[in-house]
Amino acid sequence: MKIYLRFVFSFFLVFTSCDKKVKETTVPQKPNIIIFYVDDLGYGDLSSYGAVGVSTPNVDKLAENGIKYTDAHSAAATCTPSRYSLLTGQYAFRNRARVLPGDAPLLIDTKTPTLPKMLKKAGYNTAVVGKWHLGLGNGDTNWNEEIKPGPLEIGFDYSFLLPATGDRVPTIFVENHRAINLDENDPIQISYKKPFEGVPTGKTNPEMLRYPADNQHSEAIVNGISRIGNQTGGESALWTDEDFPYIFTEKANQFIEKNKENPFFLFFSFHDIHVPRLPNKQFQGKSSMGLRGDAIVQMDWMTGQIIKKIEELNIDKNTLVIFTSDNGPVLNDGYSDKAEELLGSHKPSGPFRGGKYSAFEAGTRVPMITYWPEKIKKGESKALISQVDYYASLASLINKKLGKKEAIDSKNLEETLLNANTKGRKLMLEESFTLSLRNKNYKYITPIKNRKANKWIYGKKIESGASNEPQLYDLSKDIGEEVNIAKENKKLTKKMQSQIDSIVAISKK
């Protein structure tokens, strides 16, 4: 019997002139669902996961009163692929998903089954608030007109977005199909091909910058920070980074307030702690790690405000909360904001090797917490679980049957979401620049062929995990993936490569 909330149908007899009638006095109620999706938050970046130099009391409260996972994973080691997998229940390689430029078309085909579509069919009102980075429009977007297809075409009823990320133009908010606060007499123009004549960039005017950036992030300057891509016009619509925590939190809470009487799904996609890191003044200096640590504090505050809202509305006991990150951590990801210099003894990746972009464990092993007062069996879970599994698990939670071609890579781990003592996957794929496989405690990394395997992610001080030779690690004895045992275990290595090949072959059927 499922352990989530089920209402019992009660019947009573009503006697009228000797006639008997039976009535239902209660009806099943679907739980609200909130997914907090933090950007670039590493396994070790929360107090409850061993953070040093920063405190996250609001998220820690969720961990203390919910389930804290120690072997949970994003589907990929970078953001766009992870988001794609979470929302479609499919591995990102099936659609060749990569990190997108800011003017990319919508990555998810509007005919593709999605998590919000599935929930919407089940009676949910759905919303996405925050970072998108899954593309908008058909590829030649005029940001001054209707911007579609987008979230509304793949199942969301409401959207309030950063179109891509904070380090990419356009630096405007898009609500549903429209950029907000645009002046028709000052249209915005975007180019990822060449700069606009006479418009300052980080390359031509570095003296205008609040802190330096690498060559890739040295184009359009907005709010004293240079970005990727070129932009001109639209002055009235440009965002101020420091306003993100208040604007996104307000939009999320407005959606919750509006839908307090209905089942709702909120995909709250943080920009924090992605670069550029510009936390509001309220949070500056609240950690010992500079802007990156302060951005973590800001993220924690935002989480607390939304939890406070569902508590005030007395719907917290009918709301399943999932808190996690889109990939592992990175310190210097294009901007010199002293994240490396002020790190101290803090370990963003925890005990694991690598980070964002990497094939090693820290690329995808991230914090994950589920929280549902009085409905879940709390504790610490060692279950192996991927974000690609949320789709099938949530469908099971609400008794929604999936089609044969829907969420083909998603495994139903409903009980794993709700009970700390249940098991998860035995096999799990990890995506980066290559494919890796977990088989219980064994980790296999597919070798790079036909090109040199670079040990380091360029400019990031993160080990890539790349090799021209097969890699096999026993995580039960070697959590840091230091000793490659592939040569001594050729049979297992061959078997795990075959298992990867079988997973890949599904998309060709």
Side-chain angles (χ1 to χ4, degrees), residues 46-67:
L46 299 172
S47 304
S48 48
Y49 281 79
V52 176
V54 63
S55 178
T56 53
N58 293 297
V59 177
D60 296 343
K61 177 184 174 183
L62 302 183
E64 182 180 354
N65 295 286
I67 302 174

Side-chain angles (χ1 to χ4, degrees), residues 219 298 409 440:
E219 296 176 309
Q298 178 170 279
D409 297 309
K440 298 181 181 178

Side-chain angles (χ1 to χ4, degrees), residues 130-411:
K131 172 180 170 176
W132 181 238
H133 211 181
L134 285 165
L136 291 169
N138 288 316
D140 188 22
T141 302
N142 183 337
W143 299 93
N144 304 281
E145 299 177 352
E146 273 200 321
I147 305 165
K148 62 181 185 180
L152 273 60
E153 283 66 45
I154 64 163
F156 287 105
D157 296 306
Y158 173 76
S159 67
F160 187 90
L161 312 174
L162 263 68
T165 64
D167 63 350
R168 287 166 171 79
V169 300
T171 55
I172 55 176
F173 297 117
V174 175
E175 189 168 28
N176 295 325
H177 288 142
R178 290 279 183 179
I180 66 171
N181 300 326
L182 271 175
D183 182 349
E184 62 180 11
N185 297 313
D186 181 30
I188 192 168
Q189 299 180 64
I190 302 297
S191 174
Y192 273 78
K193 296 180 179 179
K194 60 181 181 179
F196 295 100
E197 186 175 352
V199 177
T201 68
K203 297 172 184 176
T204 61
N205 296 85
E207 75 282 355
M208 296 175 62
L209 303 180
R210 295 161 69 175
Y211 51 72
D214 63 16
N215 189 60
Q216 181 189 22
H217 294 78
S218 290
E219 296 176 309
I221 300 175
V222 179
N223 193 26
I225 299 293
S226 55
R227 322 276 171 156
I228 301 173
N230 300 283
Q231 175 176 287
T232 187
E235 289 295 324
S236 61
L238 302 183
W239 70 47
T240 299
D241 305 69
E242 290 87 343
D243 293 339
F244 288 174
Y246 304 110
I247 292 174
F248 292 143
T249 302
E250 180 182 15
K251 292 296 181 180
N253 281 343
Q254 285 175 352
F255 171 78
I256 292 171
E257 179 81 42
K258 183 178 179 181
N259 292 282
K260 61 186 177 182
E261 302 295 335
N262 311 303
F264 66 79
F265 167 55
L266 171 63
F267 182 45
F268 190 79
S269 180
F270 291 85
H271 177 262
D272 290 328
I273 53 175
H274 195 280
V275 295
R277 302 172 185 120
L278 295 168
N280 188 275
K281 187 177 181 180
Q282 176 183 344
F283 309 102
Q284 292 175 21
K286 299 299 183 181
S287 76
S288 63
M289 295 189 292
L291 296 177
R292 185 175 184 274
D294 297 346
I296 294 174
V297 175
Q298 178 170 279
M299 173 279 300
D300 180 74
W301 177 85
M302 295 167 71
T303 303
Q305 291 300 299
I306 294 174
I307 296 298
K308 181 180 178 181
K309 170 58 71 172
I310 63 173
E311 290 175 344
E312 288 176 347
L313 296 174
N314 198 30
I315 58 174
D316 56 310
K317 291 181 176 59
N318 192 44
T319 303
L320 170 63
V321 173
I322 302 174
F323 177 97
T324 191
S325 175
D326 65 346
N327 49 245
V330 59
L331 298 178
N332 187 336
D333 205 12
Y335 297 92
S336 299
D337 62 2
K338 297 186 177 180
E340 293 175 339
E341 296 87 336
L342 298 175
L343 187 62
S345 59
H346 178 69
K347 296 180 179 180
S349 296
F352 306 107
R353 192 174 180 183
K356 183 179 181 180
Y357 310 104
S358 176
F360 287 130
E361 277 293 278
T364 63
R365 196 182 293 215
V366 292
M368 177 181 164
I369 298 163
T370 56
Y371 174 78
W372 192 358
E374 300 178 11
K375 306 300 187 299
I376 64 175
K377 189 169 183 178
K378 64 183 183 179
E380 184 170 287
S381 172
K382 297 180 180 179
L384 185 63
I385 183 172
S386 169
Q387 291 167 7
V388 77
D389 300 323
Y390 292 177
Y391 196 131
S393 303
L394 293 175
S396 175
L397 178 71
I398 62 170
N399 289 319
K400 189 74 170 69
K401 187 176 180 179
L402 299 181
K404 290 183 179 180
K405 295 184 178 181
E406 186 174 2
I408 60 174
D409 297 309
S410 189
K411 183 177 176 62

Side-chain angles (χ1 to χ4, degrees), residues 403-437:
K404 290 183 179 180
K405 295 184 178 181
E406 186 174 2
I408 60 174
D409 297 309
S410 189
K411 183 177 176 62
N412 178 8
L413 296 179
E414 178 196 350
E415 296 297 325
T416 305
L417 294 182
L418 304 175
N419 187 337
N421 298 323
T422 55
K423 295 181 179 180
R425 282 178 170 263
K426 293 181 180 179
L427 288 179
M428 186 195 72
L429 195 76
E430 299 179 26
E431 287 195 68
S432 55
F433 56 87
T434 188
L435 296 179
S436 306
L437 186 74

